[in-house]
Structures are given as structure tokens and as C-alpha cells.
Amino acid sequence: MPRDELSDLMSFLIVAKERSFTRAAARLGTSQSALSHVVRRLEQKHGVRLLTRTTRSVSPTEAGQRLTAALEPAFADIEAGLDQLNQYRSQPSGTVRITTSSWPAMNILMPAANRIMAENPDICFDVETDPRLTDIASDGFDAGIRLGERVEKDMIAVRIGPDIRLAVAGSPDYFKKHAPPETPHDLTAHNCLNLRLPTWGGLYVWEFERDGHELNVRVEGQFISNDPDIVINAALNGQGLLCLPDDYVRPYVASGNLVTCLDDWCQPFPGYHLYYPSRNQNAPAFRLLVDALKYRGKT
């Protein structure tokens, strides 16, 4: 296969996966018009339309979907083969692409990544924060960081943090006006700060457990956000009760700016894990990251 056509196929694959010439061009470091020309050239050469284009979206045709399904594993094998070459270098090198959410990115991943980059100038990290559960294999990531209970079973998972628990909390000013709930059922009488999570298909349902009894509560209130930091800000300003993993709110509880309640209903669950497909485990740069993140404390 001519080298130019191989490059064209890679460009088409990224456009098809991103479903956007704009995002694909940014990822490839080229222009939208150049990418559009590449796709048209492929379509003309093979005599079949590969993408359906509208003013708002780009989507693969049936032929484009079949080509995408064929190209993904082929390019994944090529990428894995190139990664193997790094084993023969005297120094680890290459780019490690990670998808995660903001809190573990800042508090778990970045301390390790900063140490690795300082000691290994040929290693690069490409970190994308996204609250959704990303398909790391099809989206070109080497690994993801998520809570243990959210990791797919076909992935290798490495614990990178202790068990955590949810915390229900409000400001001292809020509790001056409202008696703390004694059971999750009492939350119906409170102004609760809702968190919108794409992975749950909408608003997060607050989850509780005590003495083996599980209880899920759909709460209501005046405020909704998809950003935990904004939810915390609303709670600090006395707007209502939040429910977040305790690692988000621990500093505010320690300073006295937030007060927890329903503690006996908030049981531990598996903390953050690094997860990845087995093909990634032999790249030296990636092995450095796994070793640096591996949790060695008590669960």
C-alpha cells in the first residue's frame, strides 16, 4: 500500500471517530479543508461515500462504518508494534495518553507524571479530563483512571488509591437553619445540590448502605451542576447539602467550612484504579507510570 494512502486512511479514521473535521484537524495538527480533501480523495478512488456531512455533524456511512471497524484493530496493532520498539532504547520515551476526571488527574496522576517527566525528558503525557466512561481502545488512549466499580471487566485494573466513601455535607450556616438528616429518607425535606453525571444518564442518585441494607435516594433542590467544584462552592455558600466522594470534601471538613452527616450510611467502596488493555503493559514509559501510581497502602 502506498504511504500516502496509509496516511489518508489514518486521517479518515480519526475524522470518523471524532465525528468532526474540526476536532480531527486539531488532533492531527492540520486544517479542516486539508482533511476534507483527504476524505474526498479516498471516496473518489474507491467509488463509495464514506462520510455523511451536514452543517452540524459528520457521521460514517455504512461503508464508512465497515472501513472504520477494519482499520481500528489494524492501526492498534501498528501502534503496539511501534511501542515495542521503545524497549530497545536506552531511555524510555514516547507519549502516554490518559483519560480521567479532574480530581484524580490533579491529585493522583499529576504528582506521578511530574516525577516521571523530570527524570525522563523523552516521555510525554497527554491527559484528557472527561467525566464520561471513555472507550480507551477505540478512542486511542493508553489507559484511563476511574473508580474501581466503574472499570470494565475485560481491562487490566491496577489500584492506585485507597477505598473511599461518599460524604453528605453542608455548611455550618445551613445547619443553623435546618436540622441534620438522621436517615437518607429525611433528605426529601432538604435542599440538595444535584450532580449531573453523563455516565449515569442524568442526575446522580445518592447511594447509601448500612448493615447490608442499600438505599438509593433521588434528591431535589435548587441547584444542579456537572462540576463537583461548583457543587462544593454552592454548599460552602449555604445553598444546601452535597453528596460527593469524601476526598473532594475532606479539606473543607477539616477546616470546619463543611460539616458531614449520615456518616453511618456512607460505607467504603473501591477507590481509583488505572485500567488498560493488555497490549499496553509492555511499553517502558507506560510501565513507569503503572509502577509510580500503584497503591501500596492499606485498603
Side-chain angles (χ1 to χ4, degrees), residues 38 59 70 94 118 124 179 183 191 198 220:
V38 165
S59 60
C124 299
T183 74
N191 196 11
E220 296 183 356

Side-chain angles (χ1 to χ4, degrees), residues 158-230:
V158 176
R159 177 185 285 272
I160 60 174
D163 284 353
I164 60 179
R165 65 179 69 211
L166 292 174
V168 178
S171 70
D173 285 343
Y174 179 84
F175 285 123
K176 288 179 181 178
K177 302 174 184 177
H178 307 274
E182 297 183 2
T183 74
H185 294 291
D186 296 336
L187 291 170
T188 56
H190 283 266
N191 196 11
C192 296
L193 308 172
N194 266 302
L195 182 67
R196 189 183 304 280
L197 292 178
T199 54
W200 293 86
L203 300 183
Y204 170 64
V205 177
W206 294 15
E207 302 172 283
F208 299 97
E209 181 182 351
R210 190 175 71 175
D211 300 329
H213 175 62
E214 296 182 1
L215 181 62
N216 295 340
V217 180
R218 292 188 179 274
V219 299
E220 296 183 356
Q222 293 178 275
F223 189 80
I224 301 171
S225 177
N226 67 340
D227 188 325
D229 289 330
I230 296 177

Side-chain angles (χ1 to χ4, degrees), residues 1 8 12 19 43 82 95 114 120 136 140 143-144 158 186 199-200 222 227 268 285-286:
M1 176 183 296
D8 288 353
F12 160 76
R19 293 178 177 261
E43 292 176 330
L82 292 174
T95 298
N114 286 328
N120 300 272
I136 60 174
V158 176
D186 296 336
T199 54
W200 293 86
Q222 293 178 275
D227 188 325
F286 188 74

Side-chain angles (χ1 to χ4, degrees), residues 7-257:
S7 176
D8 288 353
L9 289 171
M10 170 61 82
S11 296
F12 160 76
L13 180 60
I14 292 176
V15 173
K17 289 167 60 178
E18 294 288 346
R19 293 178 177 261
S20 165
F21 280 101
T22 302
R23 290 193 296 270
R27 183 169 166 183
L28 291 169
T30 187
S31 66
Q32 298 177 47
S33 59
L35 276 184
S36 181
H37 177 72
V38 165
V39 173
R40 283 199 304 270
R41 184 167 61 206
L42 275 174
E43 292 176 330
Q44 291 170 0
K45 179 174 181 178
H46 296 285
V48 62
R49 181 173 290 278
L50 298 173
L51 295 175
T52 298
R53 307 163 179 83
T54 70
T55 56
R56 294 187 177 182
S57 66
V58 175
S59 60
T61 62
E62 182 178 353
Q65 291 175 1
R66 291 191 177 187
L67 181 58
T68 299
L71 291 176
E72 282 185 331
F75 277 112
D77 288 343
I78 292 173
E79 183 179 354
L82 292 174
D83 286 342
Q84 294 295 323
L85 295 179
N86 288 329
Q87 297 183 58
Y88 297 97
R89 294 174 58 101
S90 58
Q91 295 293 328
S93 65
T95 298
V96 181
R97 295 192 71 220
I98 306 292
T99 174
T100 180
S101 52
S102 296
W103 194 94
M106 290 298 299
N107 295 277
I108 300 178
L109 175 60
M110 287 311 300
N114 286 328
R115 291 195 301 271
I116 292 173
M117 289 187 290
E119 297 170 0
N120 300 272
D122 292 329
I123 293 179
C124 299
F125 285 92
D126 183 346
V127 180
E128 183 171 311
T129 58
D130 189 340
R132 296 172 299 177
L133 293 178
T134 304
D135 185 339
I136 60 174
S138 64
D139 287 349
F141 291 99
D142 296 297
I145 295 176
R146 293 290 184 270
L147 293 173
E149 61 186 13
R150 307 297 291 170
V151 175
E152 296 292 338
K153 301 299 183 183
D154 59 346
M155 292 285 170
I156 296 174
V158 176
R159 177 185 285 272
I160 60 174
D163 284 353
I164 60 179
R165 65 179 69 211
L166 292 174
V168 178
S171 70
D173 285 343
Y174 179 84
F175 285 123
K176 288 179 181 178
K177 302 174 184 177
H178 307 274
E182 297 183 2
T183 74
H185 294 291
D186 296 336
L187 291 170
T188 56
H190 283 266
N191 196 11
C192 296
L193 308 172
N194 266 302
L195 182 67
R196 189 183 304 280
L197 292 178
T199 54
W200 293 86
L203 300 183
Y204 170 64
V205 177
W206 294 15
E207 302 172 283
F208 299 97
E209 181 182 351
R210 190 175 71 175
D211 300 329
H213 175 62
E214 296 182 1
L215 181 62
N216 295 340
V217 180
R218 292 188 179 274
V219 299
E220 296 183 356
Q222 293 178 275
F223 189 80
I224 301 171
S225 177
N226 67 340
D227 188 325
D229 289 330
I230 296 177
V231 170
I232 291 173
N233 180 270
L236 291 171
N237 282 279
Q239 299 303 320
L241 300 180
L242 60 71
C243 181
L244 289 171
D246 63 350
D247 44 11
Y248 280 85
V249 302
R250 192 178 299 124
Y252 304 100
V253 174
S255 66
N257 292 313

